[in-house]
Amino acid sequence: MTITDTRVIAHWLDGKPFAGTSENTAPVTNPATGQITGRLALANLEDARAVIDAAAAAFPAWRDTSLARRTQILFSFRELLNARKGELAEIITAEHGKVLSDALGEIGRGQEVVEFACGIPHLLKGGYTENASTKVDVYSIRQPLGPVGIISPFNFPAMVPMWFFPVAIAAGNTVILKPSEKDPTAAIWLAELWAEAGLPPGVFNVLQGDKLAVDELLENKAVKAISFVGSTPIAQYVYATGTANGKRVQALGGAKNHAIVLPDADLDLAADAMVNAGFGSAGERCMAISALVAVGDIADELVAKIVERTTPLVTGDGTKNSDMGPLVTKTHRDKVASYVDAGEKDGATIVVDGRTVQADGGPDGFWLGPTLIDHVTTDMSIYTDEIFGPVLSVVRVDTYDQALELINNNPYGNGTAIFTNDGGAARRFQNEVEVGMIGINVPIPVPMAYYSFGGWKNSLFGDTHAHGTEGVHFFTRGKAVTSRWLDPSHGGINLGFPENS
Ligand code: NAD
């Protein structure tokens, strides 16, 4: 493998790049070419503490910065991001592999959270009750927590951090972002943008690293809360360790998203949706549909319609006019392909085989084309495991009840969708299904920024979902104040529990 670029991707501390003292690095690769394009500085303990200390030092002044000033900076950040998002999209495509239009899409969804956070003065408003007791007033306020850690996965290097940091910063916290080792440059670009927008040094910091950096965020007493997104085993570990160390933690985990297609559905709409949600971003989305549950006798027709739409798709370099890019690493590509091998061995039917794809990209790219597998049963690893690749499995059932049971028996509960023209069936589904985010004739139901994003069961550990009012609550603590201004008529000794009069 040729090293085309020896640039070092550093940390960000106090408003500028920080090389750190560790000699440890990890290669960063362009998945479409297989070339190493940079070396990521992996923090040692000293580096991690330096970044956390910077966030802790910046907290008192940022906490006391007026809401007017904070929102001015957020508006500037939003304007700069909107004007220059093309640059960020190119960085994402070069390190993640997703096509440019998809990279722009993720930035757009992150930008919505910035726009939501621009309304923080309204979101932080408390309540006020005059004369709750005689001449006693009661009111509530919400205050920031302190330095907070955000630990993000490879699949959305811009959007996932933006689910959290706009709200955290707007609410008066300081941030330490620990990006994925696979695509860390987007975080540095965002840090530069914050500096340009006028954010004081130390409010937004980037800590590059692996488990060592994560463990220091989980254990360091200065860090008050952790927002984590990644695979379920690591989410469980982060939740257990962070809470054991007295921190507030929201840990979003993996997924296995089902889409039910009922016999009365518009099969063309459903087939379009299955292709978009199954193969978009090469299936590396936590809201991707990986199991299509076909109810009744529509399966043959629906599968034929999906094949018709899948065959012309171009898998290739995301900077070209491709529909779908490569997988993020060679290891991941081989793991996904091994699941397809296992499905074939277990007796499922490979209808479209992505293992033989002719990709429009470099010979060393991590290619796997869209793969459609029919007659999948619930005991096959292709069904039981999160695959996180462009693999759509078709499970055939006879009734709606069987379809619902499949979803509710699944340990994950991130997203799901139903395709039907029957409003009563859709309404019943939204009521009965044990999943956090539901689409009705919508395949990837990612909620808007003013609602909250998060799954159920093994897809989320903690009580709070991301952004929306739940996000504001996660990054703030409430206080209730009971006040009485001096009034001589209310003096006197009374050792009883305060009662209202
Ligand atoms: P991952 O769990 O491997 O990594 C996530 C983060 O944890 C990274 O920053 C990584 O450096 C860190 N990490 C990895 N191993 C660790 C360890 N042993 N100890 C401490 N930290 C560790 O996940 P990934 O492969 O980057 O991302 C894909 C996963 O993320 C999928 O499972 C996907 O479903 C999930 N995801 C979930 C959501 C959601 O909203 N629920 C959103 C996006 C991605």
Side-chain angles (χ1 to χ4, degrees):
M1 201 178 270
T2 330
I3 298 176
T4 55
D5 191 340
T6 48
R7 113 198 123 99
V8 173
I9 303 145
H11 315 277
W12 186 271
L13 171 163
D14 267 341
K16 48 189 186 304
F18 167 58
T21 56
S22 161
E23 302 277 293
N24 247 348
T25 61
V28 175
T29 313
N30 182 332
T33 63
Q35 306 286 300
I36 294 176
T37 58
R39 299 234 159 236
L40 176 69
L42 294 177
N44 59 21
L45 207 53
E46 206 179 299
D47 300 337
R49 287 184 181 157
V51 179
I52 294 169
D53 287 350
F59 176 63
W62 183 242
R63 171 196 198 275
D64 289 342
T65 300
S66 72
L67 283 169
R69 179 72 194 125
R70 282 191 229 155
T71 43
Q72 279 162 9
I73 294 169
L74 273 157
F75 272 108
S76 299
F77 180 81
R78 187 266 171 207
E79 287 304 295
L80 288 168
L81 179 65
N82 194 44
R84 291 180 33 201
K85 54 188 163 199
E87 291 169 31
L88 180 57
E90 281 176 21
I91 291 170
I92 295 172
T93 296
E95 291 186 355
H96 175 283
K98 64 177 74 174
V99 300
L100 275 173
S101 56
D102 198 34
L104 276 170
E106 85 157 270
I107 299 165
R109 294 310 302 263
Q111 186 175 313
E112 286 171 15
V113 185
V114 181
E115 288 158 4
F116 168 74
C118 285
I120 198 73
H122 185 71
L123 295 161
L124 287 183
K125 278 193 318 199
Y128 193 102
T129 305
E130 188 185 39
N131 227 23
S133 185
T134 307
K135 298 207 170 152
V136 172
D137 304 330
V138 182
Y139 52 96
S140 63
I141 52 182
R142 297 203 72 85
Q143 297 187 324
L145 309 174
V148 298
I150 298 168
I151 302 161
S152 59
F154 80 83
N155 66 318
F156 285 112
M159 181 186 77
V160 164
M162 281 197 275
W163 281 349
F164 307 105
F165 70 64
V167 178
I169 289 174
N173 302 281
T174 55
V175 164
I176 304 125
L177 169 61
K178 209 295 290 166
S180 164
E181 303 94 303
K182 298 185 179 104
D183 43 18
T185 305
I188 296 297
W189 189 92
L190 288 162
E192 285 168 0
L193 209 70
W194 272 122
E196 208 175 319
L199 192 71
V203 176
F204 181 81
N205 308 278
V206 179
L207 173 62
Q208 307 284 13
D210 50 19
K211 180 169 165 47
L212 185 150
V214 171
D215 284 344
E216 183 55 18
L217 285 171
L218 297 177
E219 284 161 21
N220 193 305
K221 288 203 175 354
V223 179
K224 302 301 177 199
I226 297 285
S227 297
F228 170 91
V229 181
S231 57
T232 288
I234 311 294
Q236 276 167 318
Y237 167 75
V238 165
Y239 184 75
T241 315
T243 51
N245 282 298
K247 297 181 204 312
R248 189 177 278 196
V249 182
Q250 51 181 183
L252 284 70
K256 188 82 189 178
N257 303 316
H258 298 66
I260 297 184
V261 181
L262 294 186
D264 71 323
D266 178 327
L267 294 191
D268 287 302
L269 173 84
D272 288 347
M274 291 309 110
V275 172
N276 298 339
F279 307 134
S281 200
E284 291 170 327
R285 289 181 184 143
C286 59
M287 292 290 274
I289 294 292
S290 55
L292 156 57
V293 188
V295 179
D297 57 4
I298 53 161
D300 288 342
E301 191 184 347
L302 184 56
V303 166
K305 285 181 185 290
I306 295 172
V307 172
E308 208 176 278
R309 288 158 170 79
T310 304
T311 316
L313 292 180
V314 176
T315 302
D317 191 321
T319 59
K320 297 185 184 161
N321 210 12
S322 315
D323 296 298
M324 200 186 92
L327 293 188
V328 70
T329 58
K330 181 167 185 323
T331 311
H332 186 54
R333 183 257 166 230
D334 292 348
K335 185 173 165 205
V336 175
S338 76
Y339 273 110
V340 181
D341 299 342
E344 192 169 31
K345 203 159 143 264
D346 290 343
T349 313
I350 313 290
V351 185
V352 179
D353 192 346
R355 293 170 296 185
T356 55
V357 71
Q358 295 297 313
D360 182 14
D364 297 326
F366 311 139
W367 306 114
L368 187 76
T371 300
L372 181 65
I373 312 189
D374 199 358
H375 300 285
V376 170
T377 54
T378 53
D379 52 341
M380 297 178 183
S381 63
I382 197 110
Y383 177 79
T384 54
D385 294 6
E386 180 183 34
I387 295 172
F388 223 55
V391 180
L392 181 63
S393 299
V394 182
V395 183
R396 296 172 177 232
V397 297
D398 294 327
T399 64
Y400 162 86
D401 285 327
Q402 288 169 346
L404 180 75
E405 199 183 331
L406 268 188
I407 302 178
N408 285 352
N409 283 342
N410 198 278
Y412 296 107
N414 212 40
T416 187
I418 187 165
F419 287 81
T420 178
N421 279 317
D422 182 338
R427 194 166 179 278
R428 192 175 148 193
F429 181 67
Q430 76 182 32
N431 177 262
E432 294 175 339
V433 75
E434 291 167 13
V435 170
M437 294 171 283
I438 298 155
I440 296 174
N441 297 317
V442 172
I444 309 179
V446 175
M448 295 296 294
Y450 41 89
Y451 286 86
S452 296
F453 183 107
W456 285 18
K457 301 191 276 188
N458 283 355
S459 296
L460 189 140
F461 302 91
D463 303 318
T464 328
H465 293 194
H467 59 69
T469 43
E470 291 198 36
V472 176
H473 276 227
F474 182 79
F475 287 118
T476 53
R477 267 186 307 197
K479 274 181 180 166
V481 183
T482 305
S483 82
R484 180 174 65 202
W485 289 99
L486 281 187
D487 176 346
S489 69
H490 278 266
I493 300 293
N494 180 356
L495 300 193
F497 198 68
E499 282 184 73
N500 298 320
S501 56

